[in-house]
Amino acid sequence: MSAGLVILAVVAIATVGFFVGRAKSLSSAGGDIRQLHSLPSYYGQATFLFAAVPALLVTFAWLILQPMFVASQISGMIVSGDIVEGASRTLVMADVRRIANGLDVAVTAGKLSETGIEKLNTASTDVRALLAGVGVAVASDVQQNILAAAKEFRTLTSTLRIAMAVVAIALSVLGLVVALTRIKPEYRARNVSEQAVKALLILSSLVAILTTVGIIASLVFETLHFFQLYPAKDFFFNLTWNPQFTGGSDLGFIPLLWGTLYVSFVALVFAVPIGLFVAVYLSEYATNRVRSIVKPAVEILAGIPTIVYGLFALITVGPLLRDYFAQPLGLGQSSSSVLTAGIVMGIMLIPFVSSLSDDVINAVPQAMRDGSYGLGATQSETVKQVILPAALPGIVGAILLAASRAIGETMIVVMGAGAAAKLSLNPLEAMTTITVKIVSQLTGDTEFASPETLVAFALGLSLFVITLGLNVLALYIVRKYREQYE
Amino acid sequence: MYDAPILGDTVDQKTTKISARDVQVYYGDTHAIKDVNVDIDSKTVTAFIGPSGCGKSTFLRCINRMNDTIDVCRVVGDIKIDGEDIYDKRVDPVQLRAKVGMVFQKPNPFPKSIYDNIAYGPRIHGLAKNKADLDVIVEKSLRRGAIWDEVKDRLDAPGTGLSGGQQQRLCIARAVATEPEVLLMDEPCSALDPIATAQVEELIDELRNQFSVVIVTHSMQQAARVSQKTAFFHLGNLVEYGDTSQIFTNPLDERTQNYITGRIG
Ligand SMILES: Nc1ncnc2c1ncn2[C@@H]1O[C@H](COP(=O)(O)OP(=O)(O)O)[C@@H](O)[C@H]1O
Ligand SMILES: [Mg+2]
């Protein structure tokens, strides 16, 4: 009986429990709803929960624990002689699992019977060819000992599966019976069901938090691993980035950090003034009609996938800058440059800055404008001297959020700025960023044990720390700003 | 019920400062002010009273053209200050507002220092030649706003950090700093406690020496205490206008009578 069927059976039992519980609560009150503590459907829900939750929890725990248990049983059967030169115990275990799975496939395909498997012997049958015949590829010829382990694996697994089904269904029925015996008019069924809802809500938020914790933990763990293979001092202070897959790499973080900050800076130099002007125009000058057209139009920019911006950088902005600036001025030959990526990324960031700034400018109370106009200030004086200063903290928050977007951007940089890690001031030269290098270190045929790949985690963690810091700062500033008008 | 106004407390030379003829105001299709004719005297405190929604604020905002900042608002008719039509095309509303100051219902200091709040108007109108000049203007305005003693040691502190009553007096000081000729006040005490209200009322009485003050108030006691002239608005009409003492002791119109005795409103 497969796990899916077990879960279905449990849910079915629980659903029956719902209707029985509901009916029983009514009859226990003699058909008078007012005698009941809760509405009848709450009694049904409580019964459902009793029948379903313990059984499902046990099923899930079983599903997680069973493979570990089986593995520990089986690995005792594998003697060190079975482990071929250069392979590890985990690889052999993977083979066992694969062969067991292949036997299952063969049975369903009708090539083998259960008794046939009992008699299977590496001396008389070519197991590898047999498995290949049903579409399961095994790396090497199958040893007798490993075949035995695979057989054992199958029997153990199927026995445990049956045990799981029995336990789960028994628990479900038990829960149903217990719940039904507890149904009395004064039983607080609504509280039970509300507690369950609350538990579900808590669980959901825990999932979000735990995922974050998990991500950080894995980053930290792999980073520590990296620092065992490569000195932290070199990572943080070495000025060259030159990974070699043959070893002896220079993995200095500085050139990448520099590239990241440089590209982001150029992007912000473009995005901040334009975005701010758009926001001021939309919130202070534009009529409602213009606003209702321009605001969505600007926000369309935010909906364009970054890869499309990347294309724009690659085929339009890059060559344009090279032909009209870099080459005539003798500043560079490459169409990939910091300026290309920065400009295109700046365009991408305009709606971020304008939309958030527009919100904070609109949040400046009308009384501020009235006060200023009432003193005979013009519109531009009011904007410059009252509205922008009042909205400044919020605008700074918006800019910091845009900056953290810029720092985390990848596609535009790959296609616009290139992949050469360089420490240079020339904005028309190709450079690269942390994100791009994380991708390039992890793609391709890599082994997850060399510093050249593990450095990606150290880079990821550095990036995470930078953007987290920016976000926290931005949130702090924005919150401070909110307080000012409360 | 209210303090009896001191009868005979009239102003010596009564010249007309503001004169309105057949003023209509529309918000889109709503006709908010209907056929208002009024002559407001200089160096006098004139109170606008009436039930809420009757158009007091709307009419007040016509006098410094603040209604221009509301898109849907349209003003028809003549309003003259010192004989000059303020709705004439040649009049710049920005300059007009420097001459006709305004204090709002809710204190609205800018999120700047106390000093910069006061200096805001003089700076944009170029009233001070140098820093020393500006210092003089700031001090003088704060003294006229009757708040100098409370803030003289913390001119760099933010204006938003003052108490409500102090903020309102700061706003009054800010309005007088541009040396207006007329001061419009829209329920300046409605957000204040009784003590702060008394301070602001005392201040208004002093301001009468230099400015024409027009004050909107929902409190009849306040109108009786601070004003020499009173105008009663009802449903967009100016029902009755006259000496405060006459309006409160001997109203001619039945609606006025009903309002001041608390039967409408
Ligand atoms: N900005 C506006 N847009 C549309 N209608 C308005 C606006 N301001 C005021 N009104 C309307 O004009 C009328 C007079 O309002 P107002 O002058 O504020 O009254 P008061 O100050 O006497 O309480 C009310 O009916 C109000 O709804
Ligand atoms: Mg009003």
Side-chain angles (χ1 to χ4, degrees), chain A residues 22-305:
Chain A
R22 197 173 61 171
K24 184 169 179 213
S25 71
L26 255 183
S27 67
S28 78
D32 182 2
I33 287 186
R34 279 169 306 169
Q35 299 291 316
L36 291 173
H37 170 268
S38 320
L39 289 174
S41 64
Y42 283 115
Y43 290 90
Q45 285 171 24
T47 316
F48 181 94
L49 290 168
F50 269 92
V53 173
L56 290 181
L57 285 181
V58 167
T59 310
F60 289 131
W62 196 298
L63 284 175
I64 294 171
L65 294 177
Q66 179 179 315
M68 298 186 198
F69 175 72
V70 172
S72 73
Q73 295 295 78
I74 302 295
S75 77
M77 293 177 66
I78 300 168
V79 288
S80 44
D82 296 330
I83 301 171
V84 212
E85 191 80 34
S88 64
R89 185 167 285 266
T90 48
L91 279 180
V92 177
M93 282 305 293
D95 264 352
V96 170
R97 239 173 283 134
R98 206 168 168 73
I99 293 166
N101 178 38
L103 293 176
D104 284 342
V105 176
V107 170
T108 36
K111 292 264 167 83
L112 270 176
S113 62
E114 288 294 336
T115 41
I117 292 181
E118 286 285 318
K119 291 195 205 103
L120 207 60
N121 194 320
T122 45
S124 54
T125 334
D126 184 354
V127 179
R128 191 180 178 192
L130 179 86
L131 292 181
V134 294
V136 177
V138 180
S140 57
D141 274 338
V142 181
Q143 310 284 314
Q144 175 60 36
N145 205 5
I146 291 185
L147 182 67
K151 287 181 191 170
E152 179 62 22
F153 182 91
R154 287 190 72 239
T155 38
L156 202 54
T157 304
S158 69
T159 324
L160 284 172
R161 267 288 151 75
I162 292 167
M164 176 181 88
V166 171
V167 169
I169 291 173
L171 253 180
S172 180
V173 172
L174 186 69
L176 179 76
V177 172
V178 168
L180 286 179
T181 55
R182 288 178 61 167
I183 290 181
K184 288 184 198 83
E186 63 275 10
Y187 176 51
R188 305 187 167 196
R190 177 165 39 80
N191 304 25
V192 172
S193 130
E194 277 167 3
Q195 289 293 328
V197 170
K198 195 169 121 193
L200 184 72
L201 297 179
I202 293 175
L203 202 71
S204 312
S205 44
L206 269 184
V207 167
I209 295 171
L210 288 181
T211 320
T212 317
V213 170
I215 291 172
I216 297 173
S218 79
L219 273 180
V220 169
F221 180 78
E222 296 292 349
T223 303
L224 288 178
H225 193 177
F226 167 69
F227 284 143
Q228 281 160 13
L229 300 173
Y230 190 86
K233 189 175 117 280
D234 285 356
F235 175 70
F236 286 115
F237 299 111
N238 191 338
L239 296 186
T240 39
W241 172 267
N242 185 18
Q244 314 243 283
F245 281 96
T246 51
S249 316
D250 283 314
L251 298 173
F253 158 73
I254 301 278
L256 304 184
L257 181 67
W258 168 248
T260 301
L261 296 180
Y262 201 1
V263 173
S264 305
F265 173 77
V266 173
L268 289 177
V269 163
F270 278 90
V272 169
I274 297 178
L276 261 186
F277 290 160
V278 169
V280 168
Y281 172 71
L282 284 180
S283 56
E284 298 296 315
Y285 292 90
T287 61
N288 279 339
R289 243 177 63 83
V290 174
R291 188 183 154 87
S292 68
I293 297 168
V294 175
K295 199 170 155 74
V298 172
E299 277 162 8
I300 284 178
L301 284 178
I304 299 177

Side-chain angles (χ1 to χ4, degrees), chain B residues 27 32 51-58 70 72:
Chain B
Y27 288 108
S52 75
C54 67
K56 307 177 295 289
S57 304
T58 302
I70 299 173
V72 293

Side-chain angles (χ1 to χ4, degrees), chain A residues 354-407:
Chain A
S354 74
S355 198
L356 289 170
S357 306
D358 185 35
D359 290 346
V360 286
I361 290 176
N362 274 327
V364 173
Q366 182 61 28
M368 291 293 125
R369 297 179 180 88
D370 285 346
S372 175
Y373 293 140
L375 288 169
T378 63
Q379 195 161 15
S380 69
E381 283 163 345
T382 304
V383 168
K384 266 187 308 210
Q385 302 191 30
V386 176
I387 294 174
L388 286 183
L392 191 64
I395 292 172
V396 171
I399 293 172
L400 289 179
L401 284 181
S404 75
R405 253 311 287 252
I407 288 172

